[in-house]
């Protein structure tokens, strides 16, 4: 696979994920992840240092399997996640996609993101922004799925609840 193909696949994967989250299409969103996918949003130790040890340091989100992401979806569908009701309306935008390595069936890449969200209950708009570092792998057919995704949230102050649907 050449870099142009890898770039297109990585960019398409991110755009598809953002659109699925914006449409609240949880099942299709979950299908973008392998069963053993790692989903991580590290915290910040200080102004310049991210956490690196999920067992000893605070992470904003840490999941080691797709089933754990499914648990979050189930909570939202059951309306037991009262802090997120009603869900904000979101628009995910990604840019600056950079393929770091590409080989047949595997792409490692990074990208920038901005998520605009409107909270109907609070009548407030917020913006979350940062970087994604991710690895996608090709599975049966042409399906590409996340093997791992790390979201580095750059906001100094997090204006709202952070969950999978708004980062």
């Amino acid at each position: 696979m050449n870099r142009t193909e890898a770039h297109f696949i990585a960019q398409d994967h991110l755009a598809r994920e953002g659109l699925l989250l914006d449409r609240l299409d949880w099942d299709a969103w979950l299908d973008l992840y392998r069963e053993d996918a790692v989903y991580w949003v590290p915290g910040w130790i200080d102004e310049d240092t991210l956490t690196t040890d999920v067992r000893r340091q605070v992470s904003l989100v840490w999941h080691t399997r797709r089933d754990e992401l499914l648990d979050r979806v189930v909570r939202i569908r059951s309306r037991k996640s009262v802090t997120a009701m009603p869900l904000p309306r979101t628009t995910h935008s990604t840019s600056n996609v950079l393929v770091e390595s590409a080989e047949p069936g595997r792409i490692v890449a990074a990208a920038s993101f901005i998520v605009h969200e409107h909270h109907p209950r609070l009548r407030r708009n917020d913006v979350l922004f940062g970087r994604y570092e991710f690895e996608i792998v090709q599975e049966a057919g042409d399906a590409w799925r996340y093997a791992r995704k790390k979201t580095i949230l750059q906001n100094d102050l997090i204006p709202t609840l952070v969950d999978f649907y708004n980062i």
Side-chain angles (χ1 to χ4, degrees):
M1 159 185 346
N2 65 44
R3 285 245 188 234
T4 302
E5 290 171 312
H7 184 268
F8 175 80
I9 291 166
Q11 189 170 349
D12 182 72
H13 198 76
L14 288 171
R16 184 173 316 284
E17 180 180 33
L19 184 60
L20 293 172
L21 289 169
D22 294 343
R23 289 179 173 170
L24 311 179
D25 189 346
W26 311 131
D27 294 325
W29 173 74
L30 284 167
D31 196 42
L32 295 176
Y33 288 81
R34 290 172 46 102
E35 292 294 329
D36 60 349
V38 173
Y39 185 98
W40 183 30
V41 184
W44 288 92
I45 294 173
D46 57 37
E47 294 294 320
D48 304 312
T49 312
L50 283 169
T51 59
T52 57
D53 185 341
V54 296
R55 288 169 182 51
R56 295 184 183 169
Q57 299 169 316
V58 173
S59 292
L60 300 175
V61 180
W62 169 249
H63 295 300
T64 59
R65 301 200 45 79
R66 189 175 87 176
D67 286 348
E68 295 170 6
L69 295 172
L70 173 60
D71 288 343
R72 294 183 90 90
V73 168
V74 168
R75 285 185 54 79
I76 288 171
R77 283 183 171 149
S78 70
R79 305 192 66 77
K80 290 182 180 174
S81 181
V82 294
T83 58
M85 292 301 144
L87 285 174
R89 294 190 297 262
T90 61
T91 299
H92 288 72
S93 298
T94 54
S95 65
N96 302 335
V97 177
L98 177 65
V99 172
E100 295 176 347
S101 68
E103 55 192 57
R106 180 179 173 271
I107 299 168
V108 176
S112 300
F113 76 88
I114 296 174
V115 179
H116 293 269
E117 62 182 355
H118 173 71
H119 303 274
R121 181 172 42 106
L122 303 174
R123 295 184 179 169
R124 187 180 82 207
N125 298 314
D126 291 316
V127 177
L128 296 163
F129 56 93
R131 280 191 327 273
Y132 298 131
E133 296 174 359
F134 61 98
E135 176 183 354
I136 54 176
V137 295
Q138 191 173 23
E139 293 190 338
D142 287 333
W144 287 86
R145 292 193 169 84
Y146 285 110
R148 64 179 173 82
K149 183 178 182 190
K150 178 180 176 183
T151 300
I152 300 167
L153 190 58
Q154 297 285 12
N155 294 56
D156 261 355
L157 299 173
I158 299 172
T160 185
L161 173 76
V162 173
D163 211 330
F164 69 91
Y165 53 80
N166 68 347
I167 53 175

